[in-house]
Amino acid sequence: MSVARRWDPCIYHRGVHAAGFIREYLSHDDRRVMLVAGGGFDPRSTHICELMTEVAAGRLQGLFLREERPGPHPELLRRAEANCALLRSWLPNAMIRHIQVLATDNAAVGGRNAVSLVNGISLQGFTDIFVDVSALSLGVAFPLIRHLLETVKRGGNGTPRNLHVVVMDEPPTDHAIRSITGDLPAPIHGFRGGWGLHDKSRAATLWMPQLSRGRQAILRQIYQVIRNAQPDTVVCPILPFPAARPRLSDELIEEYAVELQESWQVDARDLVYADEKSPVDLYRSILRIDDARRRVFSEVGGSQIVLSPVGSKALSLGALMAALEQNFTVMYVEAIGYDVDFDRLDARISGPAGEFVHLWLHGEAYGTPHDSEGAGT
Amino acid sequence: MNQDFILGRLSEIMGWDTDRSRQEFDWLRLMSRMKYDGYQDFLAGMRFIESLADWIQQFSPAEREAAYGLIRGSLVYISTSEMNHLVELFYPETVQWRLQNAVAARLGIPPYRVWAAEEPSKLYRKLLRQTLFVELSDGARIDVFRRANAGTISNEQVVTAPRINREKWDDLLDDLRAEDKSARFSSIFLIDDFIASGTTLLRKEGDKWKGKLARFWKEVQEVLPTHFESGWTLNVHHYIGTHRAQRVVQERQKAALTEHGEGSWFNSVEFSFGIVLPEGTPIDAGSHPDFVALTNRYYDDTIETKHMKLGGHDARLGFGSCALPLILEHNTPNNSVALLWAETLGGEDKHAMRPLFRRRQRHV
């Protein structure tokens, strides 16, 4: 028997359905929209804003966050300026704000700073908030979404009722942007879950890293931290299946051979598959595993799930939803900079655009402003 | 059998040096453990690596690299976990979406409003109960489907036989009417595991349309006026489909409707797939010249049974010349390249084909 979920059913769209939804939904004159997005070098900074401007011009306000990290490459700055100029040409009154992602000791503070910044901005009069995570780092996007979800759920006069998350899912772009990471894996601000709490000290820990190309070093760092805290941590890696390339999960198994066989000692039956295109599928899979583990470990210290969504942006939203629902720990290493393959990035710009994903997290679609988003079936 | 021992023999068979052996052993150990050893037809002591050693030896030493290269670089193997995941995805990603849109169309509201109020949610639940799920073969994994949707889909909505007699139709309707005395069925989902050429589902032989869809059309006629709402919808879902099948089934449905005319064939059929194998999946002389040469050289046409000939008169690249390098954990499709699955006795100048993934034949 399945357990009632907060986002089951979930209103979400992909590709032409997502663009179709935006065009229909925002065509209504009573929609007044705040778009919160990244305003950086990432070419995905502008796509969704451009689409929304076409439909909701005059009813759309933009808040664009420029993530600041020490010593950026001049080309990254040039591209960020160009993207911001484009965004301003569509939304002349847009707010462009700078956020320091790292403290002087390299501690990740971007999420906290983003929340603080948004908290100081009036959302009165808007019906809908759209957070576009395409060009935001997870360390900034996740805390921001949690804060905005709590804001819209709390409600109040003139507060927006609806919270949406959108992303331009482009794995090739993700692969062209390599994070230069510090050496401090830590829970994302607001996603500590039970990490470090005394009553979780005996909990059976399950780590669910999302495997993707070129992220071994980051995942190794994170595993080390988790294992130091919980030596008996079990690892259930998440692989993309179904995927546009049916051999992708095999290729990842090969790429992570050492980790799977030696470091993490993963049993073949512990591989978790999640539809490359569906964040909601990953959300369901994580919660199904959590349900089972809660029962098993209820009398012997409890269960603790730690997520590390370092792969595609679309799938990371599934991890976000699961973490929001069950207060899971999201362990992450903030980028202290980016090593960008500009040729690959530009090749992607001239190629076909990625797929647009829309998730409706809270509001009218669920008929309730309260905790239970879904109507259930 | 000790794995190191058989790896050593394989290295000799392949003529690998020490470095190459180390590299390949890592991959073979990993993939056999994570996926390939799960193939249901492997015997104890004769799992993937042993079967590979046996299979490779049917080729001359100079040809073995081409054979191994196909397995190493192009094989698409769908494991039990992957297949089960495709089954689990079917209801939330396909059925729910279809019914949500059906509710929206009936009530004249946008689909995103369906969960916002009681009336559309109630209609959704009603339409879901008026839906039947029918397996087209035992590959439909109805047991997994039932377990994944326990509490959402009733057992009385799930039909585990591709042919439904009148008595069964009446039982299904009685079960439905136990909850609503005037209810009729509003939609059907026909479910199967795999489609490659589309021949088994729908084909034209001479001037007749044949296949599972044609058979279902005949069988459902008797109960259409009494058991079904007007405007009921037919959906056909395959967990795995090829790019070719995705196109072909649409074309054939359209052609069958044109020939039969409205009222004498399904007005519309919605096709869906859990995963579509991309256009570049089949092998050919351009992508795999050396392996395609092997398929010509090591071919025994005794595999061309009456059933195989439905797909054409040459099965070296598999049924319907689909040329797939595809293995499903429970059985290898006959649309896969014959060298992967065929087993023959040979003789009379014909090569005795040895399978890597032995296929259990459904049709003899």
Side-chain angles (χ1 to χ4, degrees), chain A residues 23-80:
Chain A
R23 287 183 197 285
E24 194 280 326
Y25 183 73
L26 294 189
S27 67
H28 299 276
D29 286 342
D30 57 344
R31 297 281 163 212
R32 310 201 76 77
V33 182
M34 167 67 86
L35 170 64
V36 183
F41 67 90
D42 192 315
R44 292 169 293 190
S45 298
T46 57
H47 287 300
I48 290 172
C49 180
E50 185 176 18
L51 171 66
M52 292 173 83
T53 308
E54 283 173 21
V55 195
R59 293 179 282 111
L60 178 64
Q61 169 62 295
L63 169 61
F64 299 106
L65 308 178
R66 282 193 59 173
E67 298 182 12
E68 302 274 326
R69 292 176 174 80
H73 190 289
E75 179 60 14
L76 296 181
L77 287 177
R78 190 194 67 74
R79 288 178 185 236

Side-chain angles (χ1 to χ4, degrees), chain B residues 201-343:
Chain B
L201 185 71
L202 187 61
R203 64 183 179 275
K204 196 164 183 194
E205 280 184 35
D207 61 351
K208 285 193 176 155
W209 285 92
K210 293 192 172 180
K212 291 178 179 179
L213 211 48
R215 197 177 67 208
F216 187 72
W217 169 259
K218 279 184 199 151
E219 289 172 359
V220 82
Q221 291 312 299
E222 187 187 359
V223 292
L224 270 186
T226 50
H227 291 51
F228 285 80
E229 288 185 347
S230 63
W232 71 284
T233 58
L234 179 66
N235 307 270
V236 180
H237 184 79
H238 288 86
Y239 300 130
I240 303 166
T242 60
H243 184 269
R244 169 179 162 185
Q246 189 181 31
R247 176 180 51 79
V248 161
V249 291
Q250 300 275 7
E251 290 169 357
R252 290 186 188 159
Q253 156 60 19
K254 205 171 159 190
L257 178 60
T258 304
E259 284 188 25
H260 288 98
E262 277 197 28
S264 299
W265 186 253
F266 303 109
N267 280 347
S268 77
V269 182
E270 295 289 336
F271 296 98
S272 55
F273 307 87
I275 183 172
V276 175
L277 302 176
E279 194 171 9
T281 306
I283 65 164
D284 58 32
S287 63
H288 297 78
D290 295 339
F291 190 83
V292 169
L294 295 185
T295 66
N296 292 324
R297 202 167 303 140
Y298 294 92
Y299 180 61
D300 180 352
D301 63 8
T302 60
I303 67 167
E304 292 172 13
T305 60
K306 180 182 159 199
H307 174 75
M308 285 296 282
K309 284 183 191 290
L310 287 176
H313 286 281
D314 186 334
R316 70 194 68 209
L317 291 177
F319 184 91
S321 293
C322 288
L324 295 171
L326 175 71
I327 307 296
L328 308 181
E329 49 77 31
H330 65 289
N331 203 10
T332 299
N334 62 4
N335 313 86
S336 288
V337 177
L339 264 184
L340 290 174
W341 54 265
E343 185 170 27

Side-chain angles (χ1 to χ4, degrees), chain A residues 1-2 8-13 17 21 24-25 28 31 241-247 249-250 253-255 257 260-261 265-269 271 273-275 278 280-281 284-285 288 360 364-368 373-377, chain B residues 26-27 29-31 33-36 70-79 81-83 85-86 88-89 91-93 96-97 100 110-117 121 124-125 128 147-148 150-152 274-278 281:
Chain A
M1 181 71 71
S2 56
D8 185 9
C10 178
I11 299 293
Y12 88 103
H13 303 90
H17 298 294
F21 166 79
E24 194 280 326
Y25 183 73
H28 299 276
R31 297 281 163 212
F241 183 86
R245 287 191 301 116
R247 281 176 52 87
S249 61
D250 291 7
I253 287 173
E254 189 175 353
E255 186 170 332
L260 292 173
Q261 297 198 109
Q265 299 186 0
V266 173
D267 186 287
R269 292 163 297 185
L271 297 173
Y273 292 97
D275 185 345
S278 172
V280 186
D281 179 41
R284 284 189 300 257
S285 295
R288 205 162 40 231
W360 194 330
E364 297 160 28
Y366 302 106
T368 166
E373 256 72 22
T377 55
Chain B
D26 285 347
W27 182 81
R29 282 195 188 100
L30 175 73
M31 292 309 293
R33 182 178 151 220
M34 290 293 177
K35 295 192 85 171
Y36 303 155
L70 182 92
I71 307 305
R72 182 76 160 86
S74 303
L75 191 74
V76 177
Y77 182 99
I78 309 289
S79 68
S81 303
E82 288 170 318
M83 185 60 95
H85 192 59
L86 293 174
E88 288 161 2
L89 280 167
Y91 171 73
E93 297 288 335
Q96 194 174 68
W97 171 253
Q100 188 182 333
Y112 59 79
R113 291 256 176 234
V114 166
W115 314 117
S121 295
Y124 177 90
R125 290 192 290 272
L128 176 58
R147 272 202 305 278
T152 303
I275 183 172
V276 175
L277 302 176
T281 306

